[in-house]
Amino acid sequence: MDLYLPIAQMSVQWLVILGMGFGVGFLSGVFGIGGGFLLTPLLIFYGIPPGVAVATTASQVSASTFSGVLAHWRKRAVDLKMGCVMLAGGLLGTGIGVYLFAVLRRMGQSEFSVSASYVILLGSVGAIMLNESARALMAVNEGKRPGGGRPGRHRWIHRLPCKMRFRQSRLYISAIPPVLLGFVVGVLSAIMGVGGAFLMVPVMIYVLRMPTNVVVGTSMFQVLFVTAAATILHAIDNHTVDIALAFALIAGGVFGVQYGVRVGSRLRGEQLRFFLALLVLAVASRLFYEMVAVPADLYSVTMGTP
Amino acid sequence: MRCAFAFAALLLAACPAAAEESLVAGVSQDVVQISSTYTGTDLTVFGAIEQPSEGGVGDIVVVVRGPDAMTTVRRKDRIAGVWINNARARLLMPSYYFVASTRRLDSVAGRDVLGRYGLGLSNLRPDSAVSDGDPAPFENALIRAQARARLYAQNTTGVEMLSNTLFRVKVPIPAGVPRGPYNVQVYLFRDGTVVSAQSTPLYVDQTGFERGLYDFSRDRPFTYGLVTVLLGIAMGWMSTFFFRRGA
């Protein structure tokens, strides 16, 4: 049976969309990730226009993040002050990102920009994760404890002005790095439809040196509002949010997550990261291949004068 | 517009000759309603040749055009090893185009005549074209893309002669045709020239829930975005209760 997407103005198989939502939800349950960075390329591979894929994925991410924020909030694992400081940068970044996306779309370069940012980001994140998890797996095989050499204190962070006290994170640091981090993730949300946790969580742990128990909750807090803002701004500037596509993806996703969490709890961390790294690299190579391979049709048609 | 002017001029020219050979034609529906579950339908154009002259029947050509739409066509070029949109053209072309005839169009009339009335996919030219370089490859690319989407079609045996004077044409209206005023034009050709013509308007309208959603997203984008986010969040949140009970 077909599902007609009112904004993308095309018919899709609703089972395929539900399946994609389920699959990505499953993987995000297994790996504890948002899944936006897998969903956007999948939708593009299926033939959804990149603009619609990005904006609609943002709405799916905000929907699937909400229950996570709620759970962490109840456990008092959200540093509200840190979250709001990051959010200030995040909302600014989203606004600029959506504006940038609209400009690129009018130039006919939005498709290329989305692909290129995915290849660069997924390629580097995947490579780092593969390297790290392969070392961890080898260390486990040799009978050593994984993890180990922690990097030294980042002195530069303590020399920055505008210091603020973050009680819940037990930190007294400048507000500039969190605002900057939020800003970068906001731009990524707008252009790629991702939540950005894959970038945010490592920086919060290793650079901001937040305690790990509040990192996930706080990053989810930021992701929730930034992706919600990205959705609304895309709806206003680019008219690319497809409500039918979003609901089908969310419906598939909520089931997928439940099963994914059960499977994920049976796998070891380094194995999980190893498989995730392979998955990320596979998506990046497919996108890269499409950028360099001779296209089936050199010409593309867009209705109207975007 | 060029086609419309040519058509008007033709009608004026055809009027004094009305006592001779002429056309009467009609369309099975004058409004086509397209809903979101619509999978496409056939529209029937039928007609008769009045007072046919001696020496056999002429050729009938039926053209259905959708509203003109501005379209951007882009060409990818390889830049630093990567295929990237580089050149573009803006073309004003009909959003839907169907032509049917009694036989091959090139045997009905000469290229110049077919070109003047825009008959046949290879004779379809944009009313305005702004392009980087030669517009022809962009036009051909647009026609190819529209043919793939089944929005442009040509059927050289599509006009069915039911008798010497009665004819019928099935016009395929696929899903996804744009809304707006359409125009059905019927031409009677004899010896390579148009001897009679008739134009009938047709309106294609999109209805249904999905169309409502589209209008909502255009008319009140902020509310639409907010509703999408809030309903999505509500869906995600409610699912947690569902699974808590199920577990």
Side-chain angles (χ1 to χ4, degrees):
Chain A
M1 220 184 88
D2 283 356
L3 171 71
Y4 183 77
L5 305 180
I7 309 303
Q9 297 204 300
M10 59 190 285
S11 284
V12 291
Q13 293 286 321
W14 66 267
L15 268 179
V16 173
I17 300 295
L18 272 184
M20 274 185 197
F22 183 88
V24 170
F26 180 80
L27 291 174
S28 61
V30 170
F31 297 119
I33 52 171
F37 69 91
L38 291 173
L39 191 52
T40 306
L42 262 182
L43 291 173
I44 294 174
F45 295 155
Y46 185 57
I48 308 282
V52 176
V54 165
T56 308
T57 301
S59 75
Q60 192 269 353
V61 172
S62 75
S64 59
T65 308
F66 181 75
S67 48
V69 172
L70 215 61
H72 282 92
W73 183 264
R74 288 207 192 95
K75 284 190 267 174
R76 297 180 179 280
V78 178
D79 184 337
L80 190 60
K81 195 169 176 188
M82 178 66 87
C84 289
V85 167
M86 285 170 60
L87 196 55
L91 293 179
L92 185 68
T94 311
I96 289 175
V98 171
Y99 175 74
L100 197 68
F101 194 89
V103 171
L104 288 166
R105 197 170 51 92
R106 267 177 240 122
M107 288 166 61
Q109 301 302 352
S110 63
E111 198 170 336
F112 174 77
S113 315
V114 170
S115 296
S117 7
Y118 265 98
V119 168
I120 293 167
L121 210 65
L122 294 186
S124 42
V125 169
I128 293 167
M129 270 172 43
L130 190 70
N131 182 25
E132 183 270 337
S133 59
R135 275 161 195 258
L137 277 175
M138 274 188 281
V140 169
N141 286 347
E142 287 163 16
K144 284 182 204 155
R145 294 273 302 152
R150 289 235 159 198
R153 273 185 159 253
H154 286 260
R155 297 298 307 168
W156 59 271
I157 264 203
H158 296 276
R159 279 195 226 112
L160 292 170
C162 312
K163 286 203 172 188
M164 280 178 92
R165 192 171 297 282
F166 299 99
R167 266 210 197 88
Q168 207 151 2
S169 300
R170 295 189 301 278
L171 283 175
Y172 182 63
I173 57 165
S174 161
I176 294 172
V179 169
L180 215 60
L181 175 64
F183 178 82
V184 171
V185 171
V187 173
L188 292 182
S189 286
I191 291 181
M192 304 171 69
V194 295
F198 60 90
L199 190 76
M200 205 159 27
V201 169
V203 174
M204 286 164 85
I205 294 175
Y206 296 116
V207 180
L208 302 185
R209 304 205 144 248
M210 283 172 68
T212 41
N213 63 323
V214 293
V215 163
V216 174
T218 308
S219 82
M220 277 184 162
F221 174 84
Q222 142 97 358
V223 166
L224 171 66
F225 287 101
V226 162
T227 49
T231 306
I232 294 170
L233 291 176
H234 270 301
I236 295 171
D237 274 9
N238 296 315
H239 304 290
T240 42
V241 179
D242 199 301
I243 194 166
L245 181 60
F247 284 8
L249 290 171
I250 295 165
V254 294
F255 286 95
V257 171
Q258 302 294 328
Y259 291 101
V261 167
R262 278 169 216 177
V263 173
S265 59
R266 278 187 238 126
L267 288 169
R268 286 214 316 273
E270 351 24 289
Q271 283 175 334
L272 275 178
R273 287 201 298 279
F274 185 75
F275 289 129
L276 182 60
L278 289 181
L279 191 68
V280 165
L281 286 176
V283 172
S285 1
R286 167 82 195 262
L287 280 169
F288 182 67
Y289 174 76
E290 286 191 358
M291 285 169 70
V292 294
V294 181
D297 194 343
L298 287 181
Y299 292 87
S300 58
V301 172
T302 321
M303 288 301 148
T305 50
Chain B
M1 282 322 282
R2 202 177 54 202
C3 290
F5 282 129
F7 195 81
L10 178 86
L11 281 181
L12 286 175
C15 278
E20 297 166 17
E21 200 167 29
S22 68
L23 268 175
V24 187
V27 186
S28 57
Q29 287 165 272
D30 54 3
V31 174
V32 179
Q33 298 273 357
I34 294 174
S35 67
S36 39
T37 51
Y38 177 86
T39 48
T41 185
D42 283 337
L43 196 71
T44 306
V45 175
F46 50 87
I49 304 163
E50 288 188 324
Q51 286 143 356
S53 60
E54 307 298 309
V57 196
D59 289 296
I60 301 285
V61 179
V62 173
V63 186
V64 183
R65 284 171 211 271
D68 273 356
M70 190 58 94
T71 312
T72 307
V73 183
R74 293 192 171 88
R75 187 188 70 227
K76 285 193 178 70
D77 289 320
R78 188 168 226 156
I79 297 170
V82 177
W83 291 92
I84 187 163
N85 282 333
N86 191 31
R88 71 146 196 228
R90 290 202 165 143
L91 309 170
L92 191 62
M93 295 272 269
S95 49
Y96 172 85
Y97 180 87
F98 171 80
V99 60
S101 47
T102 37
R103 56 188 171 128
R104 284 173 59 92
L105 280 168
D106 50 5
S107 15
V108 169
R111 260 196 91 81
D112 54 331
V113 177
L114 295 176
R116 197 179 311 146
Y117 299 111
L119 302 179
L121 286 185
S122 51
N123 298 309
L124 196 57
R125 288 287 161 260
D127 285 343
S128 89
V130 184
S131 71
D132 300 332
D134 181 16
F138 293 99
E139 292 166 21
N140 294 336
L142 176 57
I143 292 170
R144 267 201 317 275
Q146 296 287 63
R148 268 200 303 271
R150 281 183 275 162
L151 291 172
Y152 281 16
Q154 176 164 355
N155 187 349
T156 49
T157 53
V159 179
E160 230 183 307
M161 295 304 294
L162 302 171
S163 74
N164 265 351
T165 56
L166 281 174
F167 63 88
R168 182 173 70 183
V169 182
K170 277 206 169 123
V171 181
I173 305 285
V177 291
R179 81 191 322 195
Y182 284 55
N183 202 358
V184 181
Q185 292 170 345
V186 183
Y187 296 87
L188 173 63
F189 278 87
R190 188 177 288 279
D191 303 323
T193 52
V194 178
V195 292
S196 181
Q198 195 190 330
S199 173
T200 313
L202 169 75
Y203 195 81
V204 173
D205 199 7
Q206 287 175 329
T207 54
F209 184 59
E210 277 87 346
R211 180 69 210 184
L213 285 178
Y214 177 85
D215 290 339
F216 180 28
S217 80
R218 295 276 158 168
D219 299 342
R220 306 179 69 186
F222 174 75
T223 320
Y224 172 82
L226 193 66
V227 165
T228 307
V229 169
L230 292 181
L231 285 180
I233 286 174
M235 263 174 86
W237 189 35
M238 278 187 304
S239 75
T240 60
F241 294 106
F242 177 78
F243 283 104
R244 206 174 292 163
R245 271 193 212 118

